[in-house]
Amino acid sequence: MRNLCEDLHAECEALVDFSGVLQAPDWVAATSFHAWTPWDEIAHLCLLDEVGHLAATDATAFSAKAAELRGRREAGDEISAIARSTFAHLTGPQLVAHWREVNRLLASALSVLDPKARLPWFGPSMSARSFATARLMEVWAHGHDVYDLMKVRRANTARLKHIAHLGVTTFEWTFKNRGLPVPEPIPFVHLQGPSGEVWLWGEASADHCVRGAAEDFCLVVTKRLHCFDTGLQMAGTGTAWLPLAQCFAGPPVDSPVPRRKSA
């Protein structure tokens, strides 16, 4: 658990460091993610890390905060609007500095928990391990939006394996979340990590599989890229899965429109 939480904060630190290249106009430029700005992306991460820290340390305080946020959502406030109002007094650099500390506190709180400990969240409770992995995934995914806006290719690390694992383990949920029957068998997943390492899930199969770069797979399951616009190879249930694959909670989200028509 400690290593996972160290990776969570390392992902935060990487985005904090990169944010140093942003100039004033960049902080208010629209990314490809719902036209959120880099400021919006960091504010979203900061808000959920603050709430996540409550979930890890004070269930009563979390319950009150969750009820407040649900009430605002029911009143018509989008989560992005809530984050904007919460941190409106902070400039981009100030927001980043605040988020860095919030994420450090969250990672520290999670690191001492039993990986199987249940944490309350918006919906079903989550294990501490799944919670930390989900937070790392969010940091990486929203970080991608900022790198993409700045037209910089991120240097990925073995931390991608956490996100890839989350993507693989949400295979069945992807279909159930859409009210669709879960196809069988679960596909074999063969991914190459950033340093050339090979990561495998499931039983080897050429008929039902997904193969390719771990970065491509992670961009697909976080809904940043359509699988047809990657180098991923897929067959059988892998082909049925990837266009729908979604590794985060909430209602079904469509993949970006592909630039190519087929894989």
Side-chain angles (χ1 to χ4, degrees), residues 157-219:
T157 71
R159 294 191 295 269
L160 275 184
K161 190 172 184 180
H162 299 300
I163 303 166
H165 182 72
L166 185 63
V168 172
T169 57
T170 49
F171 169 80
E172 293 186 358
W173 180 83
T174 288
F175 293 93
K176 292 177 179 178
N177 192 37
R178 292 174 176 268
L180 298 172
V182 179
E184 296 182 351
I186 295 175
F188 171 57
V189 179
H190 179 293
L191 301 177
Q192 186 173 47
S195 299
E197 63 273 44
V198 174
W199 300 331
L200 305 174
W201 289 266
E203 298 183 9
S205 170
D207 297 324
H208 302 280
C209 62
V210 172
R211 297 174 180 270
E215 180 183 21
D216 281 352
F217 179 77
C218 292
L219 288 171

Side-chain angles (χ1 to χ4, degrees), residues 234-250:
M234 59 204 99
T237 51
T239 303
W241 171 39
L242 280 193
L244 305 178
Q246 178 176 326
C247 71
F248 50 87

Side-chain angles (χ1 to χ4, degrees), residues 17-184:
D17 288 346
F18 181 70
S19 72
V21 309
L22 300 178
Q23 301 300 309
D26 301 321
W27 280 107
V28 295
T31 70
S32 59
F33 184 78
H34 303 296
W36 284 15
T37 67
W39 192 97
D40 292 329
E41 304 266 5
I42 302 297
H44 175 79
L45 292 171
C46 191
L47 176 64
L48 291 188
D49 279 359
E50 284 188 347
V51 179
H53 185 253
L54 292 179
T57 61
D58 190 334
T60 300
F62 167 79
S63 180
K65 187 63 175 180
E68 174 196 333
L69 293 178
R70 287 193 189 97
R72 293 186 64 176
R73 293 295 301 276
E74 290 169 0
D77 284 347
E78 295 291 339
I79 191 67
S80 55
I82 296 173
R84 288 187 196 108
S85 65
T86 301
F87 304 112
H89 60 292
L90 299 176
T91 65
Q94 290 171 337
L95 177 62
V96 166
H98 178 61
W99 172 53
R100 184 183 204 173
E101 179 61 14
V102 169
N103 185 271
R104 185 191 67 79
L105 291 172
L106 171 63
S108 178
L110 290 171
S111 70
V112 298
L113 298 179
D114 185 313
K116 296 182 180 179
R118 305 302 296 182
L119 272 64
W121 200 233
F122 301 94
S125 63
M126 301 174 66
S127 72
R129 180 179 296 279
S130 294
F131 191 91
T133 304
R135 295 311 308 143
L136 191 158
M137 175 273 296
E138 285 249 355
V139 175
W140 183 85
H142 287 287
H144 167 78
D145 305 331
V146 180
Y147 278 91
D148 185 58
L149 172 70
M150 300 303 293
K151 303 187 185 310
V152 173
R153 178 68 184 272
R154 171 168 47 186
N156 281 297
T157 71
R159 294 191 295 269
L160 275 184
K161 190 172 184 180
H162 299 300
I163 303 166
H165 182 72
L166 185 63
V168 172
T169 57
T170 49
F171 169 80
E172 293 186 358
W173 180 83
T174 288
F175 293 93
K176 292 177 179 178
N177 192 37
R178 292 174 176 268
L180 298 172
V182 179
E184 296 182 351

